[in-house]
Amino acid sequence: MGRNSEVVIMFRALPVMVCAFLTFLTTGFDASAWQGTYTTYLRSNVRTPKVPLAESPHGVVRFTLVVKANEKGEGPAELILDPNSRQFDEFGEAKDVTTHSHIKLQCNLKFVKRGIVGGPDPNRDRYLYAIEGDKITSRLFLVAPSPRLDLARLLIQDRSGKTDYMILMYPPPALLPCHPGCFPAGTPVQTPKGARSIEKLRPGDLVTAFRPDGTTAAIKVKSIFVTQHRLLKLQTEEGELITTQTQPLWLGGDSTRPAGELTRGDRIFRWQDGKRQAVRVRGVVTTEREEKVFNLVLGGPEMFIAGGFVVRSKPPATKGGR
């Protein structure tokens, strides 16, 4: 089967895919609100070999596009370029990635034209959009079967208008909420009696809570939040933390920031030899791992120590506890 045949099949399967992925829209898209704006999230598969692109010195392995679109499909967007090479095991599962930071480009999706293409199904609409931004020099376009942008092709063209790369973009599988972040099994949590893996903790167990003044206290676990989510690798000058996109890390004082929003040079805190230690972030990498993850409900937004870093707990919740 050739690439064009695969694309036709993907577009013909659009109604099924839309139903399957409708819940994974980053602002909770409601079909009844179609006349306003909504946010849609499109992502490519991992590309091997890498796609060369002027905006990414190390090439691109995966493209992500987040668009706040109106009824025409136009609107502000963010194009995220992942330059990290994957290593694969014998079953094609990603084992590791390199350590380049993702490149985030603010841009706009601008409607260019509507066309009708031939093929097995007559009168198949296509909507063409230009992806434009101050830091984008490449000729980038998005083609979708409707302004809802449920499924699309990313086109990378040369200066003459010839398409060098066509990349399928589609919504990733829905994942349960993980607010405000979680950790995979095996992550050590500091307790008054030493470190314990987060999945082995139970309601009533004591963990070491951290106070902004540097002191600690023993506090009871109210419940354990459990879900499935994609993992993120936070790299610092003093080690790594595997967590999820929304997990808050302590910045000092009363400030925290989600792991996925940290950038190179940000200061966070480790806990080492019974003392806090400021360390600098070197990079944030989204991995291919999707696993069961855990977080502690401590009766409030308490600080605790997970994986050797000062993090914030999950606030009390009515669902998802154990």
Side-chain angles (χ1 to χ4, degrees):
M1 182 183 292
R3 174 176 292 179
N4 291 337
S5 298
E6 293 175 357
V7 173
V8 169
I9 290 172
M10 289 291 286
F11 275 130
R12 292 180 70 180
L14 178 61
V16 175
M17 296 184 70
V18 171
C19 292
F21 297 126
L22 193 57
T23 57
F24 194 91
L25 296 173
T26 57
T27 58
F29 172 64
D30 181 351
S32 65
W34 170 239
Q35 296 301 320
T37 61
Y38 68 97
T39 302
T40 189
Y41 181 108
L42 296 168
R43 189 182 71 177
S44 74
N45 282 329
V46 171
R47 303 281 301 192
T48 52
K50 293 183 177 182
V51 176
L53 197 70
E55 292 74 11
S56 178
H58 301 286
V60 183
V61 173
R62 168 169 276 169
F63 296 82
T64 301
L65 184 68
V66 184
V67 187
K68 187 174 182 181
N70 59 23
E71 66 275 7
K72 295 172 61 178
E74 295 182 310
E78 183 176 58
L79 179 64
I80 304 169
L81 310 177
D82 179 358
N84 293 288
S85 297
R86 270 53 167 185
Q87 298 175 0
F88 298 93
D89 64 19
E90 60 183 322
F91 300 105
E93 297 292 332
K95 296 173 57 180
D96 202 356
V97 294
T98 50
T99 56
H100 304 301
S101 294
H102 290 189
I103 298 170
K104 299 181 179 181
L105 302 172
Q106 302 305 311
C107 54
N108 282 282
L109 209 62
K110 182 179 179 181
F111 177 73
V112 177
K113 65 180 180 179
R114 175 185 176 185
I116 298 177
V117 298
D121 298 325
N123 301 323
R124 293 185 297 142
D125 288 340
R126 293 291 182 267
Y127 292 78
L128 180 66
Y129 300 87
I131 301 174
E132 300 176 343
D134 292 340
K135 296 184 178 181
I136 296 178
T137 59
S138 301
R139 288 174 54 88
L140 304 178
F141 296 89
L142 196 73
V143 180
S146 83
R148 293 178 184 258
L149 309 179
D150 297 308
L151 179 68
R153 303 167 181 166
L154 175 66
L155 306 182
I156 303 176
Q157 297 184 351
D158 64 16
R159 293 302 171 189
S160 69
K162 174 180 172 291
T163 298
D164 289 329
Y165 294 91
M166 187 284 294
I167 298 160
L168 287 173
M169 305 282 288
Y170 49 88
L175 295 172
L176 294 175
C178 192
H179 174 74
C182 301
F183 303 92
T187 301
V189 172
Q190 191 67 32
T191 80
K193 295 183 177 181
R196 290 182 61 188
S197 294
I198 193 167
E199 77 279 7
K200 295 181 179 179
L201 292 169
R202 295 294 182 269
D205 289 345
L206 293 177
V207 299
T208 301
F210 176 85
R211 308 303 188 204
D213 63 3
T215 61
T216 60
I219 189 169
K220 283 187 178 182
V221 175
K222 300 294 184 182
S223 63
I224 312 292
F225 179 83
V226 184
T227 186
Q228 184 89 7
H229 219 273
R230 185 170 297 110
L231 299 181
L232 173 148
K233 181 190 292 185
L234 175 63
Q235 301 162 327
T236 78
E237 58 192 2
E238 294 292 338
E240 299 179 343
L241 176 67
I242 304 298
T243 182
T244 56
Q245 184 85 11
T246 55
Q247 175 59 50
L249 278 291
W250 187 54
L251 304 181
D254 295 326
S255 298
T256 61
R257 185 172 298 161
E261 296 180 13
L262 292 169
T263 59
R264 186 180 181 89
D266 284 344
R267 188 183 73 163
I268 60 175
F269 285 84
R270 281 186 59 85
W271 184 257
Q272 191 166 355
D273 298 327
K275 297 179 181 180
R276 60 184 174 180
Q277 175 189 2
V279 295
R280 297 289 178 180
V281 173
R282 286 185 171 177
V284 179
V285 178
T286 301
T287 75
E288 298 302 306
R289 294 166 57 190
E290 292 179 4
E291 297 182 8
K292 181 184 287 187
V293 289
F294 308 80
N295 206 339
L296 307 183
V297 178
L298 301 176
E302 298 279 357
M303 302 289 189
F304 69 104
I305 300 157
F309 290 83
V310 181
V311 304
R312 198 183 76 192
S313 67
K314 182 176 176 62
T318 57
K319 295 181 180 180
R322 184 182 69 186

